[in-house]
Amino acid sequence: MNITRENIDALNAVVKVDIAKEDYSGKVDKILSDYRKTANIPGFRKGHVPMGMVKKQYGKAVLVDEVNKLLQDALNKYLTEEKLDVLGNPLPKPQDNLDWDADMLSFEFELGLAPQFEIDLAPKDAIIHYNITADDKMIADQIENIQKQYGKLIATDTVAKDSEITGTFKNEAHDIENTVTLTLDKFKGKATEKQFIGAKVGDVLELQTKGLYADDHELMHALKIAHDAVHDLDITVTFTITEINTRELAALNQELFDKLFGEGEVTSVEGVKEKIKADAEKQFQQQSEQKLLNDVTEYLVENTAFDLPAAFLQKWMQTAGEKELTEAEAQEEYAKSEKSLRYQLIEGKLISENNIQVSMDDIKEHAKNMIKMQMAQFGQLNPSDKELEDIAARVLSNQEEARRISEQIVSQKLLALYKEKANIKTKDITYDDFVKEVYGDK
């Protein structure tokens, strides 16, 4: 057997594999001999079928199968020994007139080679890392929400600005009838609020659905209609008031503090504020770090220049999936996946150059921490190490879950690398301003 390679250019190569008859004939003869011992052919006793008949019936199929096995093993070994970084899989070149009886069989495979490139983690313009803070207004709003949640409902006769109103939306023509409890601050316009203020139990209000809520999803839930039906809905609905309540805020006392945080954990309003601020900013940190990871990823993809063997990859995509694609479909699929493929190559190079590794201990420890946080949400604050070990073992027996955790750890280690080596500028910002700056004023 002989293997040679011709480099077409930096991204494409052709590997030629020459297989001599002696490379496979002994294996083929042995398999056919075993077939002869067990072949059940009418007119012949088992084990006495003429070899010529066995070869005629099974010889070609056995030969092709053994040659394909040799090819696969030889190619894999060659790619490993030559340390070739290939994209996709080798593609066999068509051979319509191959003579399987020849003393030498030659096969050619197209290779798509991974590009060589450099990564610059220090752009001239710094990438922003947002440090999201909970401001006084957010903390005060959260305290008020807690007071409302633990407060008392008091029935009233007349709607006021801060009332909680229960009633039924109805439109017979559109088969709408849904009972909800709402507050006036959810409506988009002041005109709707004015319609409600002063209304009493039993009053029937007529409302226009267009512009009733700022968000169509709010209208969808209020009317209990399908997602597709809510867009551009412009009809009149009635709202019959059945109950009006105001909420008496719960007192900020030790009884409430103990309910919220555990007995004696917090003993003052200042302590409540500190706890709310710390919890909020811990959640904000996750958003901030995901944003940084996304921004660095985007920067790397947009600013790390290299070519790909596009024609080869499109050809490979035609037969790589469960369903064979047309040339046009493969081009479309390549266009969709090119950005992702570029980042995979960049990420792989960063992992290799910076020796980023994920051990089984890393995965197990991450799983245990994740389980511990989940248990804490249900009041189990001090699980034993054996409990965590047992649950983690069950979680990690699922290969898909273990793979997902491994990817999370890689992301965390890459984020640490970016913080250390990338040109990053920290910006302190409130959550409301973060939403406006990053996602637009919503």
Side-chain angles (χ1 to χ4, degrees):
M1 184 185 299
N2 185 47
I3 302 180
T4 56
R5 181 175 85 248
E6 178 188 359
N7 290 327
I8 308 302
D9 55 37
L11 298 173
N12 295 275
V14 173
V15 169
K16 183 180 180 184
V17 183
D18 295 322
I19 299 181
K21 185 172 284 189
E22 56 264 29
D23 291 327
Y24 57 82
S25 58
K27 183 73 172 174
V28 170
D29 289 344
K30 182 179 184 309
I31 292 172
L32 291 175
S33 178
D34 290 341
Y35 276 16
R36 182 173 182 245
K37 294 174 186 176
T38 58
N40 191 3
I41 296 177
F44 298 94
R45 287 184 296 133
K46 186 178 288 188
H48 292 76
V49 179
M51 180 56 80
M53 184 172 288
V54 172
K55 284 185 177 181
K56 185 175 181 181
Q57 187 162 348
Y58 300 111
K60 179 72 173 291
V62 172
L63 169 62
V64 171
D65 188 47
E66 287 306 308
V67 168
N68 280 332
K69 288 179 184 176
L70 274 176
L71 278 173
Q72 191 64 49
D73 290 344
L75 267 176
N76 289 338
K77 185 178 178 183
Y78 177 79
L79 295 177
T80 301
E81 289 177 348
E82 294 293 311
K83 298 179 179 177
L84 289 177
D85 192 0
V86 299
L87 303 179
N89 291 316
L91 284 178
K93 296 184 87 172
Q95 290 178 287
D96 296 330
N97 300 313
L98 183 63
D99 181 6
W100 288 95
D101 295 323
D103 290 337
M104 181 71 71
L105 300 175
S106 295
F107 303 88
E108 290 185 337
F109 295 85
E110 296 178 62
L111 301 182
L113 305 178
Q116 299 296 313
F117 56 90
E118 297 299 322
I119 300 173
D120 180 12
L121 273 175
K124 183 178 178 182
D125 296 328
I127 297 170
I128 295 175
H129 183 202
Y130 293 96
N131 178 38
I132 308 171
T133 59
D135 60 8
D136 292 342
K137 181 181 181 303
M138 170 176 280
I139 295 169
D141 288 345
Q142 183 61 25
I143 288 175
E144 185 177 342
N145 288 336
I146 290 170
Q147 287 180 278
K148 286 180 179 178
Q149 181 182 347
Y150 287 88
K152 295 177 183 177
L153 277 180
I154 301 173
T156 60
D157 295 326
T158 306
V159 175
K161 192 167 184 176
D162 60 349
S163 295
E164 294 183 17
I165 309 145
T166 301
T168 302
F169 282 109
K170 196 169 185 179
N171 180 299
E172 291 185 5
H174 288 78
D175 198 26
I176 293 171
E177 185 171 353
N178 189 46
T179 299
V180 294
T181 297
L182 52 82
T183 54
L184 299 182
D185 60 318
K186 296 293 185 182
F187 291 123
K188 183 178 181 180
K190 293 291 184 184
T192 305
E193 182 181 297
K194 287 179 181 177
Q195 270 186 273
F196 272 88
I197 290 177
K200 299 181 182 300
V201 172
D203 284 355
V204 180
L205 307 181
E206 286 193 354
L207 304 170
Q208 299 300 315
T209 58
K210 187 175 182 180
L212 187 60
Y213 289 95
D215 185 347
D216 280 344
H217 291 90
E218 293 274 6
L219 182 63
M220 180 180 75
H221 294 305
L223 303 184
K224 203 174 183 181
I225 57 177
H227 187 275
D228 293 340
V230 76
H231 294 294
D232 300 318
L233 183 68
D234 187 6
I235 61 173
T236 300
V237 293
T238 60
F239 185 82
T240 304
I241 299 174
T242 57
E243 189 177 335
I244 305 168
N245 293 293
T246 58
R247 191 172 287 269
E248 183 182 278
L249 298 183
L252 293 172
N253 55 26
Q254 193 60 47
E255 182 183 355
L256 179 60
F257 302 159
D258 291 346
K259 283 181 183 177
L260 294 172
F261 306 111
E263 189 172 347
E265 290 293 318
V266 174
T267 58
S268 67
V269 173
E270 283 305 312
V272 173
K273 291 179 179 179
E274 289 171 7
K275 186 76 173 172
I276 289 173
K277 182 178 175 66
D279 289 348
E281 290 180 354
K282 188 175 181 180
Q283 293 181 21
F284 295 159
Q285 185 180 6
Q286 294 176 1
Q287 283 183 269
S288 170
E289 299 212 327
Q290 186 60 55
K291 172 64 177 165
L292 177 61
L293 190 61
N294 293 345
D295 287 347
V296 176
T297 298
E298 188 71 23
Y299 160 77
L300 290 172
V301 171
E302 295 299 328
N303 293 278
T304 306
F306 55 84
D307 293 325
L308 291 169
F312 168 84
L313 289 169
Q314 289 169 28
K315 190 187 295 185
W316 170 69
M317 284 179 174
Q318 285 187 255
T319 56
E322 294 182 5
K323 176 191 171 188
E324 191 164 329
L325 304 179
T326 65
E327 186 176 339
E329 288 171 334
Q331 289 175 351
E332 184 180 352
E333 185 63 29
Y334 175 77
K336 290 178 184 175
S337 58
E338 182 184 0
K339 194 171 183 178
S340 172
L341 175 56
R342 285 181 176 278
Y343 181 67
Q344 286 176 30
L345 290 170
I346 294 167
E347 183 183 68
K349 187 176 178 71
L350 286 170
I351 289 170
S352 174
E353 289 183 346
N354 294 279
N355 195 30
I356 292 174
Q357 299 178 7
V358 177
S359 67
M360 196 60 219
D361 285 342
D362 290 335
I363 295 173
K364 187 187 292 184
E365 195 60 31
H366 186 94
K368 285 166 66 176
N369 288 334
M370 180 180 70
I371 292 160
K372 194 172 182 179
M373 285 190 293
Q374 290 172 347
M375 293 176 76
Q377 292 176 358
F378 295 96
Q380 295 175 267
L381 300 178
N382 295 301
S384 69
D385 198 54
K386 185 178 185 311
E387 281 181 287
L388 293 174
E389 287 278 354
D390 291 345
I391 299 171
R394 289 198 296 273
V395 169
L396 296 178
S397 66
N398 181 326
Q399 289 187 349
E400 185 64 26
E401 187 64 20
R403 182 191 62 79
R404 188 182 67 81
I405 290 173
S406 177
E407 289 174 353
Q408 288 177 348
I409 297 171
V410 169
S411 291
Q412 290 174 357
K413 294 192 175 190
L414 283 171
L415 185 62
L417 173 71
Y418 299 153
K419 287 180 178 179
E420 178 188 350
K421 296 188 175 182
N423 183 10
I424 291 172
K425 179 177 73 175
T426 300
K427 180 176 181 178
D428 293 333
I429 193 169
T430 66
Y431 182 73
D432 286 345
D433 287 341
F434 170 77
V435 171
K436 289 175 185 175
E437 183 167 322
V438 174
Y439 303 108
D441 192 357
K442 295 184 179 179

